[in-house]
Amino acid sequence: MFALIDCNNFYASCERVFQPNLIDKPIVVLSNNDGCVIARSDEAKSLGIPMGAPAFKYKKKFEDNKIEVFSSNFKLYGDMSNRVMSIIAQFTPNIEIYSIDEAFVKFEGFSEDIIDQKCREIIETVMKWTGIPISIGLAETKSLAKVANRIAKKYSNETRSFYSINKNSKHIKALKNINIKDIWGIGLKNEKKLLKVGVKSGFDFIRLPDNWVKRNMSIIGLKLKKELEGIPTLDIVEENNNKKSIATTRSFEAEISSLDDLIERITTFAVVASKKLRTQNSECNMISIYIRSNPFKENNERYHFSLTGALPFSTNSSIEISKFAIKLLKKIYHKGKSYKKAGIILMGLTPESIHQVSFFEKDTKKHKKLMESIDNIDNKYGLYKVRLASQDQKRIWKMNRQNLSRNYTTNIEEVLLVS
């Protein structure tokens, strides 16, 4: 069984954890340099605040409706995300971090009752340990788990934030009640094709002939159809082309203790993740890295170090991303400890087409041309024929973040004081 675990209104929930007086109040979170709305609470959505709304145009509406406005505190959100994902990983090792606020997990070898119990325990534990509310959808495939999660979230009072598609009647009802545009992986182009042939719901979609789907939507569309029919075609490690975040994580063949060796690995991961970022024509605004010991080694201390940092400008340059990742690595590296796994997660993804120029950017055009050349060489001669040497160029970066909350969990000087 697959479960999709989704943090509810994640950025807003992170702010509410440390400011509980904001519960039930409308909240919006702005992009880097306080440009536009990138996250909204349910209360803000009900007031008609659209995603991507330019902050300067909606300033009066924010004030008139007493909407709480926050600058994006990616350090806080990234750290809270790491905490949530670490809790989830304690319940099953089969976890795929899909985005900063979503993860797929796979349960194997458990009865249905035990899986249901584990899902409810995850909801309670994450809430108790972090204060972040989550919803869980459970089903036989990843795509159906997405559908189940929508139901769990939409009808949270009735479902207590957990819904399992474990019966054929539930399966059919769920597909009949989900609009084709809301199905994970359909996209605008395929939606138009399907509407032309009268397909309006998920149930309509699975009734189409396989040959038609493969001919008009390629093998990817056929896989999605099988998933919605309850036939798994996507495993927990499957890549997705429309990710909200991009992660590259690997276990090492042998334990590593040298900083130089870790730098080489993190640099390689950054190059791989950056290429994925460029492939989907996106840029990232935030980077999270982690290093951890071997969790399966007996009679050994277990440790996990992670750090998240916000970039001063959005980028998909392997040079900038690897350079920043190395800086984060040096801050969490502990001499004398051995590490078995490391990873880098690119978050806060935005389309490359809406890139906002920053005063602190340097040689962006040169980087873009260089990355294009490297990608062309890779496409012609094979991946990663051109490699980067790790760089350590020091800069001082500042952003316009007038409504930035405190770094409650990442800065000792800004932790909450309780009297």
Side-chain angles (χ1 to χ4, degrees):
M1 296 288 281
F2 292 88
L4 175 65
I5 303 172
D6 186 13
C7 300
N8 303 339
N9 300 318
F10 182 58
Y11 290 177
S13 293
C14 288
E15 300 293 351
R16 285 171 170 166
V17 167
F18 303 97
Q19 300 184 66
N21 60 299
L22 297 177
I23 294 174
D24 297 328
K25 292 184 178 180
I27 296 173
V28 297
V29 179
L30 306 179
S31 62
N32 278 349
N33 294 309
D34 292 346
C36 59
V37 174
I38 59 171
R40 307 158 293 164
S41 66
D42 288 336
E43 296 80 6
K45 294 175 186 176
S46 67
L47 291 171
I49 306 299
M51 184 67 79
F56 74 94
K57 286 187 178 180
Y58 281 78
K59 184 177 181 180
K60 188 175 187 304
K61 189 164 186 175
F62 293 159
E63 295 172 350
D64 292 345
N65 291 279
K66 297 182 179 179
I67 297 175
E68 298 287 340
V69 180
F70 288 93
S71 302
S72 50
N73 191 340
F74 288 130
K75 285 187 177 180
L76 174 65
Y77 308 150
D79 185 67
M80 293 299 290
S81 174
N82 287 334
R83 292 169 187 242
V84 171
M85 301 306 169
S86 296
I87 294 170
I88 296 170
Q90 294 180 23
F91 289 84
T92 173
N94 298 322
I95 178 173
E96 174 190 344
I97 299 175
Y98 179 65
S99 71
I100 191 172
D101 60 350
E102 290 179 288
F104 283 104
V105 299
K106 185 178 182 181
F107 293 104
E108 294 180 299
F110 298 102
S111 67
E112 184 179 320
D113 290 341
I114 294 297
I115 294 174
D116 287 2
Q117 181 182 339
K118 279 182 172 287
C119 288
R120 297 192 186 280
E121 286 180 3
I122 291 173
I123 293 173
E124 293 175 3
T125 306
V126 170
M127 185 64 186
K128 184 176 181 180
W129 291 6
T130 68
I132 300 294
I134 65 174
S135 299
I136 300 181
L138 183 71
E140 292 182 332
T141 70
K142 290 173 75 173
S143 298
L144 281 177
K146 270 276 194 180
V147 175
N149 185 273
R150 286 180 61 87
I151 297 172
K153 186 174 289 187
K154 186 175 181 179
Y155 303 102
S156 57
N157 292 332
E158 295 87 344
T159 63
R160 292 168 55 199
S161 299
F162 169 67
Y163 189 77
S164 175
I165 298 179
N166 54 1
K167 296 179 181 178
N168 185 59
S169 57
K170 285 185 174 182
H171 184 184
I172 299 302
K173 184 178 180 180
L175 291 183
K176 283 184 175 181
N177 285 281
I178 186 169
N179 194 299
I180 194 66
K181 69 178 181 180
D182 295 324
I183 294 176
W184 179 47
I186 288 295
L188 181 60
K189 186 177 180 180
N190 284 326
E191 179 194 352
K192 291 179 178 178
K193 290 180 182 179
L194 293 169
L195 289 176
K196 285 183 179 180
V197 295
V199 173
K200 297 180 180 180
S201 68
F203 185 69
D204 295 336
F205 178 54
I206 65 170
R207 296 177 69 185
L208 288 173
D210 287 356
N211 289 338
W212 187 95
V213 175
K214 185 176 181 179
R215 184 172 63 253
N216 290 276
M217 300 174 63
S218 78
I219 190 65
I220 302 299
L222 183 58
K223 282 187 175 183
L224 174 58
K225 179 176 181 289
K226 294 301 178 184
E227 283 267 313
L228 294 175
E229 290 173 351
I231 303 170
T233 64
L234 305 175
D235 206 347
I236 205 67
V237 296
E238 191 76 19
E239 296 287 347
N240 182 273
N241 292 329
N242 297 308
K243 286 182 175 290
K244 297 179 183 177
S245 69
I246 291 175
T248 300
T249 64
R250 298 286 188 278
S251 294
F252 310 137
E253 293 181 1
E255 292 183 344
I256 291 177
S257 58
S258 164
L259 176 59
D260 289 339
D261 289 338
L262 285 173
I263 287 175
E264 188 279 329
R265 288 289 80 200
I266 289 294
T267 299
T268 300
F269 297 169
V271 171
V272 174
S274 300
K275 184 172 180 62
K276 294 179 183 178
L277 195 62
R278 295 192 296 274
T279 299
Q280 68 175 44
N281 299 315
S282 297
E283 297 178 336
C284 71
N285 291 278
M286 177 172 61
I287 300 175
S288 181
I289 69 164
Y290 75 85
I291 48 178
R292 78 178 191 193
S293 63
N294 187 348
F296 304 107
K297 191 173 182 180
E298 296 181 359
N299 303 321
N300 189 49
E301 179 188 5
R302 298 179 182 179
Y303 36 85
H304 180 287
F305 305 111
S306 64
L307 187 61
T308 300
L311 290 163
F313 49 84
S314 60
T315 183
N316 56 24
S317 165
S318 298
I319 296 172
E320 293 291 350
I321 291 172
S322 61
K323 182 172 60 179
F324 195 77
I326 291 170
K327 289 183 179 181
L328 296 178
L329 172 64
K330 289 180 177 179
K331 292 180 180 180
I332 62 174
Y333 171 75
H334 289 251
K335 188 176 181 180
K337 293 187 178 294
S338 297
Y339 305 93
K340 190 65 173 65
K341 187 174 183 178
I344 179 171
I345 306 171
L346 308 183
M347 299 177 286
L349 305 193
T350 55
E352 186 178 21
S353 59
I354 62 170
H355 176 81
Q356 293 184 348
V357 178
S358 168
F359 176 78
F360 300 100
E361 291 182 59
K362 184 177 180 181
D363 296 331
T364 303
K365 292 183 178 179
K366 290 183 179 179
H367 281 202
K368 183 175 177 62
K369 291 181 179 179
L370 178 59
M371 293 303 111
E372 288 177 354
S373 298
I374 291 174
D375 290 342
N376 288 335
I377 293 173
D378 285 347
N379 293 335
K380 186 174 182 179
Y381 298 104
L383 290 178
Y384 316 121
K385 295 298 182 182
V386 179
R387 302 189 180 192
L388 299 180
S390 58
Q391 299 180 8
D392 187 20
Q393 299 177 13
K394 297 180 179 180
R395 293 180 185 172
I396 298 176
W397 296 312
K398 293 182 180 178
M399 287 188 292
N400 176 31
R401 295 189 288 182
Q402 296 181 359
N403 302 290
L404 184 66
S405 56
R406 290 156 61 182
N407 291 312
Y408 301 100
T409 64
T410 59
N411 188 332
I412 192 65
E413 301 296 329
E414 298 184 19
V415 298
L416 284 175
L417 298 177
V418 180
S419 57

